[in-house]
Amino acid sequence: MKAQLDEEFSEFMQGRWPAMVRLAYVLTGDLGDAKDLAQSAFVRAYASWPRVRRTGNPDAYVRKIVVNENHNRFRKQQRVRERLTDSPPGDRADAMRESDERSVLIAALQRLGPKQRAVVVFRYWLGLSEAEAAVELNCSVGTIKSQASRALATLRDSPELVDWGRQ
Amino acid sequence: MSIDDVRDLGERLDGACWSVDPGPAPVDGTRRKGSALRLRRRIAAAASITAVAAAGVFVPLAVHGQASSEPLARPSHSAKPSQYSVTVNPPGLHSPAGLIASGTINGKGWQFTVGNRGANGTGGGQQITASGPAIGPDQIGTCPVLPAADPAYPATFNSQASPIAQAQYGAVRADVTYVTITLGNGRVLTLHPVTVSGVRLVAFAAPTGAVIAKATAYSGTGEIAAAIPFTGQDGMAVFGAWLKPGQQGLARASGLIGSGTTDGTKWSEMLYLGPWGICGIDPNGSICWAPVTSLPRRTSSFGWGGGPAIAVGSASESVVRIVVTLHGGSVIQVRPVRVGGAKFWAFGIANALAQDVNQAPWTAYDRAGHVVATGRI
């Protein structure tokens, strides 16, 4: 039974790993953090795999963990955020100018709070309905609507996206 | 530019994300960490004496190596000796094929069976399962490989846990005619080996947290050896060293051999010496490394605590400092701590450096700064 469950989990993780890393990437804005976040979510899914598989939608379960873990991570980052780099910190504007479309978009998303970011991703990237997003993000449809509205307003005013649009 | 069309936003996000290379899925590492998490959850749940809701949470103790027992680390949730009763019966003439043993815990039944080769997706292997109301709603399944008897020990036990019971099973040597298990409440269970696929197996189940005081193996002429297991925080008994009649194992002693913070998480390694050998308890659970009967006197790295994050070892008497040079060039210094008449050490390492520490060289120094020994983690 355990071997069967393990095999099932392995197949699930192999299949859904790219999607979860990409989801985590748009939420975190950092590929390294995204991989950590995605793995952390799969670890928790594996720890409860017999129960998770019985939900019939392990994908939603893992997605929810990714979002929640990102919220937790965001809270921790507000206390301290220090990262070692290979080179001294340069001019952020220069870095932005050199960035590609991907980093411009991701940088703009990072201007949003974690909840708004999750709403944007679930609604406009994953294509979930307001009701579906409300279930997955554990909030009301009204909250989804208001968060989405505010998030889009912020993105419209985002300097990263303004610069990008002029190129 | 402005985002007037949310579909445009979605498409751009899509394009941006598809340029991300997620790399291969780290399935093995995830399963290893998931197993450790499951164990931690079980410990926490048991400690708070709450009902464990997670059905089918089975944790092979192999995740934490060979662990073991004793009042030193008896979990707070342990069922009191007078509060449980356990029975065990060998297969009868009309028992189903593959049955190793059956019995009861507080009147509820359990049974151990060996499945047919290749059954239930086990490839060509055979799985041992424990099931029944005493075990819980889900059966406990082992890896699809039957345990092998170790010539060095009369019996080699493995264990698995359900939220309510510990299932112990093992292979016995050819000279063992039976094994007795002495429970903390004084009850003695007698296990008769059953041969399946050429392996002589014994098995029993007990409530999680019930103290298993001793296992004794007998041949046709008398006692061969006895093992006093170590009981970790999770309430599971793990059998380590086997002592021949009259042989003394390690004296009981315990001590903190290391602590610190890595990756923002506090860790500590508490060492427990005793007749079971050398075991430890850290934030990730309990683990036993060496079923030794005498104190280690050499400087060596003998294992890992809770996953790959804590390295543990011993040191010779003259060693006061050990310097580990990680493959990435980082250096870790650790000072041995005396526990029970010998010196031990432990250090935590950040996950990002976990690969750098494997086989990393170390050098041990004495008080005068002379090199006493070298080796690899």
Side-chain angles (χ1 to χ4, degrees):
Chain A
M1 181 65 178
K2 183 178 183 303
Q4 194 177 345
L5 289 174
D6 273 7
E7 191 176 340
E8 192 180 278
F9 173 81
S10 299
E11 277 179 21
F12 169 71
M13 185 175 173
Q14 295 278 9
R16 300 305 297 153
W17 172 253
M20 291 304 165
V21 170
R22 288 177 178 129
L23 169 63
Y25 176 67
V26 294
L27 293 176
T28 63
D30 181 282
L31 186 55
D33 287 347
K35 288 182 179 178
D36 287 348
L37 198 60
Q39 187 178 12
S40 171
F42 279 108
V43 163
R44 290 178 59 181
Y46 178 73
S48 306
W49 185 243
R51 181 166 56 86
V52 173
R53 64 195 282 273
R54 278 201 294 267
T55 64
N57 192 355
D59 220 32
Y61 180 92
V62 176
R63 268 204 306 260
K64 193 174 284 190
I65 300 175
V66 167
V67 171
N68 290 339
E69 290 278 304
N70 186 51
H71 286 196
N72 296 336
R73 171 183 157 278
F74 182 78
R75 280 195 286 269
K76 285 176 189 166
Q77 278 184 355
Q78 287 181 317
R79 289 197 289 272
V80 59
R81 176 72 174 179
E82 187 174 320
R83 173 167 297 173
L84 298 175
T85 58
D86 292 334
S87 54
D91 183 290
R92 183 170 173 76
D94 286 345
M96 287 306 300
R97 275 193 290 275
E98 292 169 4
S99 64
D100 56 8
E101 175 178 318
R102 181 178 85 187
S103 52
V104 166
L105 265 172
I106 298 305
L109 276 178
Q110 301 313 303
R111 289 182 170 273
L112 306 176
K115 189 101 179 181
Q116 288 185 7
R117 211 179 307 148
V119 170
V120 166
V121 169
F122 276 57
R123 284 282 289 119
Y124 307 126
W125 183 44
L126 298 179
L128 269 60
S129 69
E130 288 173 341
E132 289 168 335
V135 169
E136 292 223 2
L137 297 174
N138 199 26
C139 58
S140 68
V141 171
T143 302
I144 294 291
K145 285 180 178 173
S146 62
Q147 295 280 336
S149 172
R150 285 178 202 151
L152 288 177
T154 304
L155 289 175
R156 285 188 184 105
D157 293 338
S158 160
E160 290 92 349
L161 291 181
V162 168
D163 290 341
W164 175 44
R166 288 174 183 159
Q167 288 173 358
Chain B
M1 116 90 190
S2 64
I3 299 175
D4 295 323
D5 185 351
V6 294
R7 280 182 304 182
D8 179 50
L9 173 61
E11 284 169 10
R12 284 171 178 161
L13 272 173
D14 209 29
C17 286
W18 277 107
S19 64
V20 168
D21 175 17
V27 176
D28 289 343
T30 300
R31 283 166 45 181
R32 206 164 44 242
K33 289 178 180 175
S35 296
L37 174 62
R38 210 154 42 185
L39 185 61
R40 290 198 297 276
R41 283 178 178 170
R42 195 156 48 75
I43 292 166
S48 60
I49 323 178
T50 56
V52 178
V57 180
F58 307 135
V59 184
L61 279 188
V63 167
H64 280 281
Q66 303 285 343
S68 59
S69 110
E70 260 299 283
L72 269 176
R74 186 179 299 168
S76 59
H77 74 292
S78 296
K80 292 179 181 176
S82 59
Q83 290 181 324
Y84 66 88
S85 65
V86 176
T87 65
V88 59
N89 302 304
L93 282 176
H94 304 291
S95 296
L99 183 71
I100 305 172
S102 61
T104 61
I105 297 174
N106 295 329
K108 294 181 178 177
W110 58 264
Q111 61 178 12
F112 268 94
T113 54
V114 178
N116 292 328
R117 195 176 295 278
N120 296 325
T122 55
Q126 282 178 285
Q127 192 175 37
I128 299 176
T129 56
S131 60
I135 302 296
D138 294 310
Q139 64 182 13
I140 299 175
T142 68
C143 295
V145 178
L146 293 185
D150 186 331
Y153 308 111
T156 307
F157 277 97
N158 295 289
S159 57
Q160 291 201 314
S162 80
I164 56 174
Q166 55 178 314
Q168 300 273 355
Y169 63 97
V172 299
R173 269 188 338 218
D175 59 332
V176 174
T177 53
Y178 68 98
V179 176
T180 61
I181 301 293
T182 306
L183 301 176
N185 62 1
R187 167 94 171 136
V188 178
L189 309 175
T190 302
L191 314 181
H192 296 280
V194 172
T195 302
V196 178
S197 300
V199 182
R200 304 179 75 232
L201 298 168
V202 293
F204 70 98
T208 301
V211 172
I212 296 171
K214 188 168 71 169
T216 309
Y218 295 88
S219 69
T221 55
E223 179 181 332
I224 300 173
I228 296 174
F230 176 79
T231 302
Q233 286 172 309
D234 55 1
M236 297 288 290
V238 181
F239 294 89
W242 285 80
L243 305 173
K244 293 174 183 172
Q247 185 182 12
Q248 295 293 316
L250 293 185
R252 294 171 197 244
S254 63
L256 184 68
I257 61 168
S259 64
T261 302
T262 55
D263 292 330
T265 303
K266 289 184 178 178
W267 64 271
S268 62
E269 190 67 54
M270 191 76 182
L271 204 68
Y272 293 87
L273 308 181
W276 48 82
I278 301 173
C279 302
I281 291 180
D282 56 49
N284 287 329
S286 52
I287 180 170
C288 288
W289 299 284
V292 295
T293 54
S294 59
L295 285 171
R297 299 293 184 191
R298 291 177 53 247
T299 304
S300 70
S301 163
F302 59 64
W304 298 95
I310 305 172
V312 184
S314 58
S316 62
E317 187 60 30
S318 61
V319 172
V320 297
R321 183 167 60 103
I322 296 172
V323 177
V324 183
T325 305
L326 304 186
H327 297 310
S330 305
V331 171
I332 293 174
Q333 293 200 46
V334 59
R335 295 188 181 281
V337 174
R338 187 179 298 282
V339 177
K343 284 185 167 180
F344 299 91
W345 52 265
F347 65 84
I349 185 159
N351 283 330
L353 298 175
Q355 294 301 319
D356 291 345
V357 76
N358 193 29
Q359 289 292 308
W362 55 259
T363 306
Y365 297 90
D366 65 12
R367 196 169 297 281
H370 298 133
V371 174
V372 176
T374 60
R376 287 187 178 274
I377 296 289

